C-alpha cells in the first residue's frame, strides 16, 4: 500500500511537470482557441441542463398520464399487475380478488333542475331517517337538486354527528342518481349566499300531500333558487300518494340509507356474539329520561324523580305539553311500560327465562336498581356495552344516533322484536322487519296491558287467567300482513307509513287476502 501511494505521487508530479512544459511552448493563436473553448463550456453545460430539464418534464407528464389511466383502468390493468411490495398470495390480494370487479351504477336521470332543496332533520335517528326518505321523494317529484340533509344537533341528545358519520354518503348519492340529483353542498355561488344567510327557510305543513309541494313549495324554490326546509319529520302524508312515490320512499329507506362500514361491521360483531349462544330477543325498553320527561309518564318514580322529570320538560320549549296527568295518560296506553311491567308481560307471553334478551335503549332511568325485577326474571340480559369491550365503543360515545344505529341493526336481525313504546324506532324497525319477510314483532297493546297488570297486582286476576288474556290479546299482533288504518281527517291517528309500507311488501295482496 505504501509503495503504491508513493508511485502515484510520483506519477502526479510528472504530469504536472509536463503540463507546465506545454504551457511554456504554446503555438501562435493557441490562446484564442483556449479562450473560445472556455467560452463554449458554459453554453454546452446550459444546453445539457436544458435537455435534462425537458426530459424530466416529459417523464413527469408521462407519470401523471399513467396515474390518470390507473384510476380509470387500474382495477382491470394496472392494479392487476404483480407487485414486489404486495405478494400475490397475501391476505390483502386474496380479499381484493374475491371482491366484485365493479359496482354498476344506475344511469343518471336527466331533468331540468328547478332549484336546490336544503333540509334540516329534527329528532332522533329514526325520526330523521323517515324525514330523509320523505325529502328525497319530494325533491324527485319537484325536479330539484337535494343537498345532503343536515342532522339535528340541538335536540335533547345533542349529538354532533353529521350525515356521513352515520350513513354511507357516497352510496346514498350514487344509488339514487337515476331518481334525483344529490350534492354534498351547494355550488360555490349559491353556497356563498347560504353562508351569508340569504336563504328562504320555513317548516313545511305536516302530513301534506303532493299538491301542497307542487303548488306552494315549488314556486318558492323557483323564486329563491334555494329553499331550506326545517323540522322535516312527518311532513308527507301516509296515504293517498301514487304507488311510485310510496315505493321510492321504501327504496330510500331500505336501500339508499345504508350505515357506514364502521357501524355495519360493529353491528355484525354484536349479532355474531349473540348468535353464538342461540336465538335472541331484542327488547326496545324506552324507559329513558328523555322519553319519561317528554311523555310525562312517571309510573314507579319517587317524588324527587318526578320533580326532576318535570323540570326537564319545562326546560325544552318545543315540548309544548307541560301539565300532564301521568296516571290518566298511562291508562290510555300512552306511556312506555316500566321494567317491572315488562317483566310481567314477557312471562305472561311464555318467553323462556333462559332466552337471551338484548336491551336496545339508552341509559335506563333509575339505573340498575330499576332493572332488578327484569334482571331477576330474565338473567340473560345483555347490552352492546356488555358484549363489546370499551375500546370498541370509544368512537361511538356521546353520539347517541350512532349508538342507536347499532341497536337498529341488531333489532332487524333478532328472532323476536318487542318495543315497549310505539316511538319512531319501534315503528321504523317494525316496517323494516315486515319488508324482510314479516319477521316476528310483538306489538304490545299497552292500554289493555296496564289494565290487566293493575287487576293482577290488585288480586282480581290469578296468574293463569292473566297470562291467558295477555297471549289472547296478542295473537294477531305479531307483525303479520295487515292493511294500514286510514283516517283521512286525523292523519296523526292513522297507521304510520313506515311501520307498515304495504305498497312495498312482496306479494302483500296475496298475503293480505289469506290473512
Amino acid at each position: 500500500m505504501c509503495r503504491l501511494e508513493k508511485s502515484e505521487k510520483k506519477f502526479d508530479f510528472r504530469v504536472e511537470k509536463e503540463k507546465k512544459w506545454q504551457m511554456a511552448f504554446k503555438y501562435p493563436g493557441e490562446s484564442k482557441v483556449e479562450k473560445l473553448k472556455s467560452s463554449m463550456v458554459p453554453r454546452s453545460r446550459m444546453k445539457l441542463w436544458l435537455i435534462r430539464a425537458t426530459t424530466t418534464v416529459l417523464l413527469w407528464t408521462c407519470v401523471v398520464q399513467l396515474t390518470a389511466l390507473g384510476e380509470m383502468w387500474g382495477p382491470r390493468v394496472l392494479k392487476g399487475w404483480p407487485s414486489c411490495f404486495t405478494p400475490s398470495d397475501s391476505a390483502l390480494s386474496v380479499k381484493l380478488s374475491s371482491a366484485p370487479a365493479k359496482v354498476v351504477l344506475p344511469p343518471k336521470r336527466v331533468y331540468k333542475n328547478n332549484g336546490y332543496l336544503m333540509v334540516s332533520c329534527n329528532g332522533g335517528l329514526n325520526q330523521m331517517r323517515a324525514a330523509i326518505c320523505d325529502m328525497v321523494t319530494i325533491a324527485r317529484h319537484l325536479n330539484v337538486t337535494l343537498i345532503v340533509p343536515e342532522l339535528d344537533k340541538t335536540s335533547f341528545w345533542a349529538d354532533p354527528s353529521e350525515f356521513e358519520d352515520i350513513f354511507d354518503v357516497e352510496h346514498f348519492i350514487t344509488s339514487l342518481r337515476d331518481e334525483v340529483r344529490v350534492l354534498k353542498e351547494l355550488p360555490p355561488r349559491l353556497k356563498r349566499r347560504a353562508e351569508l344567510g340569504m336563504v328562504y327557510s320555513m317548516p313545511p305543513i305536516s302530513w301534506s300531500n303532493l299538491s301542497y309541494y307542487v303548488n306552494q313549495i315549488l314556486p318558492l324554490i323557483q323564486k329563491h333558487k334555494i329553499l331550506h326546509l326545517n323540522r322535516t319529520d312527518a311532513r308527507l302524508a301516509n296515504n293517498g300518494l301514487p304507488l311510485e312515490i310510496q315505493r321510492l320512499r321504501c327504496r330510500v329507506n331500505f336501500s339508499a340509507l345504508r350505515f357506514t362500514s364502521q357501524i355495519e361491521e360493529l353491528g355484525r360483531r354484536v349479532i355474531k356474539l349473540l348468535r353464538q349462544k342461540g336465538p335472541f330477543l331484542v327488547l326496545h325498553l324506552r324507559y329513558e329520561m328523555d322519553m319519561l320527561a317528554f311523555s310525562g309518564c312517571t309510573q314507579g318514580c319517587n317524588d324527587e324523580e318526578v320533580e326532576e322529570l318535570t323540570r326537564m320538560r319545562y326546560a325544552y320549549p318545543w315540548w309544548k305539553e307541560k301539565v300532564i296527568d301521568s296516571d290518566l295518560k298511562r291508562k290510555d296506553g300512552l306511556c312506555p311500560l316500566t321494567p317491572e311491567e315488562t317483566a310481567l308481560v314477557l312471562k305472561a307471553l311464555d318467553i323462556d327465562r333462559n332466552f337471551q334478551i338484548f336491551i336496545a335503549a339508552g341509559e335506563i332511568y333509575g339505573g340498575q336498581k330499576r332493572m332488578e325485577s327484569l334482571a331477576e326474571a330474565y338473567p340473560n340480559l345483555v347490552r352492546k356495552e356488555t358484549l363489546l369491550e370499551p375500546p370498541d365503543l370509544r368512537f361511538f360515545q356521546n353520539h347517541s344516533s350512532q349508538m342507536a344505529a347499532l341497536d337498529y341493526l341488531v333489532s332487524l336481525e333478532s328472532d323476536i322484536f318487542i318495543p315497549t313504546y310505539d316511538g319512531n324506532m319501534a315503528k321504523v324497525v317494525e316496517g323494516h322487519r315486515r319488508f324482510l319477510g314479516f319477521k316476528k314483532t310483538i306489538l304490545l297493546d299497552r292500554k289493555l296491558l296496564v289494565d290487566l297488570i293493575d287487576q293482577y297486582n290488585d288480586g282480581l286476576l290469578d296468574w293463569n287467567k292473566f297470562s291467558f288474556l295477555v297471549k289472547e290479546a296478542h295473537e294477531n299482533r305479531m307483525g303479520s300482513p295487515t292493511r294500514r288504518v286510514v283516517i283521512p281527517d286525523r292523519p296523526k291517528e292513522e297507521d304510520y307509513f313506515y311501520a307498515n309500507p304495504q305498497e312495498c311488501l312482496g306479494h302483500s295482496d296475496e298475503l293480505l287476502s289469506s290473512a
Side-chain angles (χ1 to χ4, degrees):
M1 289 294 288
C2 295
R3 290 178 182 176
L4 180 61
E5 288 176 1
K6 287 180 180 179
S7 64
E8 285 177 352
K9 287 180 181 178
K10 193 172 182 181
F11 177 79
D12 291 341
F13 175 79
R14 288 177 180 175
V15 171
E16 290 296 320
K17 189 173 182 181
E18 186 175 348
K19 283 183 180 178
K20 289 180 180 179
W21 180 266
Q22 289 175 354
M23 288 175 68
F25 293 91
K26 287 185 178 178
Y27 292 103
E30 191 174 3
S31 61
K32 291 183 180 180
V33 174
E34 290 292 328
K35 288 180 181 179
L36 182 62
K37 286 181 178 180
S38 63
S39 66
M40 289 177 65
V41 169
R43 290 184 182 180
S44 62
R45 286 179 180 174
M46 180 68 72
K47 187 175 180 181
L48 181 62
W49 183 87
L50 287 172
I51 292 171
R52 287 176 177 175
T54 305
T55 305
T56 303
V57 171
L58 288 172
L59 286 172
W60 274 110
T61 303
C62 292
V63 169
V64 171
Q65 294 295 328
L66 286 171
T67 304
L69 289 171
E71 291 295 323
M72 184 182 301
W73 296 339
R76 289 177 293 174
V77 181
L78 297 177
K79 293 177 185 175
W81 292 350
S83 168
C84 57
F85 299 104
T86 307
S88 59
D89 58 348
S90 69
L92 179 61
S93 65
V94 171
K95 185 177 179 181
L96 289 173
S97 64
S98 61
K102 191 175 181 181
V103 176
V104 179
L105 299 177
K108 288 184 179 180
R109 178 170 171 261
V110 180
Y111 60 92
K112 179 184 176 182
N113 182 32
N114 288 319
Y116 296 84
L117 179 62
M118 300 174 65
V119 298
S120 294
C121 305
N122 57 296
L125 174 66
N126 293 286
Q127 189 172 341
M128 294 190 291
R129 185 187 185 104
I132 292 167
C133 298
D134 286 352
M135 292 300 114
V136 169
T137 304
I138 290 163
R140 164 66 174 81
H141 190 69
L142 300 182
N143 286 333
V144 297
T145 297
L146 178 70
I147 306 304
V148 170
E150 179 187 22
L151 304 187
D152 193 346
K153 300 176 182 61
T154 61
S155 65
F156 165 79
W157 303 276
D159 187 342
S161 298
E162 302 289 352
F163 185 98
E164 58 268 24
D165 296 324
I166 300 173
F167 299 108
D168 185 337
V169 66
E170 297 297 337
H171 174 75
F172 177 73
I173 292 171
T174 57
S175 66
L176 292 170
R177 54 189 258 152
D178 61 330
E179 293 286 358
V180 63
R181 185 180 179 218
V182 183
L183 298 178
K184 291 182 181 180
E185 58 183 20
L186 289 164
R189 180 176 59 85
L190 297 177
K191 184 181 178 183
R192 179 62 178 162
R193 279 178 53 185
E195 290 171 347
L196 295 172
M198 300 169 59
V199 174
Y200 189 85
S201 183
M202 61 173 287
I205 297 174
S206 300
W207 311 114
S208 297
N209 56 27
L210 292 176
S211 62
Y212 164 76
Y213 288 96
V214 171
N215 298 329
Q216 297 190 45
I217 299 300
L218 182 57
L220 290 173
I221 298 176
Q222 292 172 327
K223 178 182 178 181
H224 299 283
K225 301 301 180 186
I226 314 169
L227 180 65
H228 174 237
L229 296 182
N230 52 53
R231 296 191 65 81
T232 53
D233 64 316
R235 304 296 158 165
L236 190 59
N238 289 312
N239 303 294
L241 300 176
L243 181 61
E244 62 270 17
I245 292 295
Q246 300 289 53
R247 287 184 173 170
L248 179 55
R249 294 167 96 178
C250 292
R251 177 178 168 184
V252 181
N253 191 21
F254 304 135
S255 178
L257 283 178
R258 186 168 69 188
F259 293 124
T260 64
S261 58
Q262 294 86 349
I263 293 174
E264 294 271 356
E265 181 182 354
L266 202 56
R268 284 193 292 269
R269 283 180 58 190
V270 173
I271 294 164
K272 183 179 179 180
L273 290 170
L274 289 165
R275 285 279 175 231
Q276 286 173 352
K277 296 183 179 180
F280 66 96
L281 178 153
V282 166
L283 181 66
H284 184 43
L285 190 62
R286 197 66 171 94
Y287 199 79
E288 300 149 314
M289 188 177 186
D290 66 295
M291 174 51 63
L292 299 180
F294 171 72
S295 64
C297 298
T298 56
Q299 175 72 15
C301 296
N302 58 39
D303 293 341
E304 185 179 342
E305 290 172 332
V306 171
E307 185 179 345
E308 181 182 36
L309 294 171
T310 304
R311 282 199 309 269
M312 181 180 176
R313 185 164 67 253
Y314 277 86
Y316 289 86
W318 53 86
W319 291 354
K320 296 179 181 179
E321 191 178 4
K322 302 301 181 183
V323 180
I324 298 174
D325 186 331
S326 178
D327 292 334
L328 182 61
K329 199 163 187 179
R330 174 177 174 269
K331 288 181 179 179
D332 287 338
L334 301 176
C335 288
L337 295 182
T338 67
E340 297 88 353
E341 292 169 340
T342 302
L344 282 174
V345 171
L346 294 180
K347 288 195 290 185
L349 289 170
D350 289 341
I351 302 297
D352 191 287
R353 171 180 168 81
N354 297 315
F355 214 85
Q356 288 183 102
I357 297 182
F358 179 89
I359 304 295
E363 185 178 351
I364 302 301
Y365 190 61
Q368 291 298 322
K369 183 178 179 182
R370 203 63 203 270
M371 292 289 288
E372 285 177 355
S373 59
L374 184 58
E376 184 181 352
Y378 291 92
N380 290 329
L381 292 181
V382 294
R383 302 169 61 97
K384 50 189 174 294
E385 293 85 354
T386 60
L387 290 171
L388 299 170
E389 296 296 328
D392 296 327
L393 293 170
R394 183 173 64 250
F395 295 108
F396 296 87
Q397 296 296 335
N398 302 318
H399 294 82
S400 59
S401 292
Q402 295 183 47
M403 296 287 268
L406 288 175
D407 286 340
Y408 187 93
L409 289 171
V410 180
S411 298
L412 290 184
E413 293 298 319
S414 63
D415 297 280
I416 306 172
F417 176 67
I418 303 180
T420 61
Y421 185 74
D422 57 352
N424 288 290
M425 177 167 174
K427 291 175 180 176
V428 178
V429 169
E430 175 194 345
H432 206 149
R433 287 173 65 86
R434 287 178 183 272
F435 180 78
L436 294 174
F438 301 99
K439 301 178 78 170
K440 191 172 184 179
T441 303
I442 302 179
L443 307 170
L444 300 179
D445 185 341
R446 293 188 308 281
K447 185 175 181 179
L448 173 67
L449 285 173
V450 296
D451 180 52
L452 293 176
I453 289 169
D454 288 345
Q455 290 186 55
Y456 172 72
N457 288 333
D458 292 339
L460 300 177
L461 289 175
D462 62 21
W463 176 256
N464 290 334
K465 183 65 174 177
F466 171 73
S467 178
F468 171 79
L469 292 174
V470 169
K471 287 197 285 282
E472 183 182 50
H474 293 87
E475 281 179 349
N476 297 317
R477 298 176 65 91
M478 301 285 183
S480 55
T482 184
R483 289 284 186 191
R484 284 197 307 271
V485 174
V486 179
I487 310 175
D489 298 330
R490 301 195 301 276
K492 289 184 180 180
E493 298 176 26
E494 65 184 9
D495 288 346
Y496 190 41
F497 171 80
Y498 291 101
N500 183 16
Q502 61 192 35
E503 296 89 339
C504 312
L505 308 180
H507 308 294
S508 58
D509 291 335
E510 293 85 343
L511 290 167
L512 286 165
S513 63
S514 61

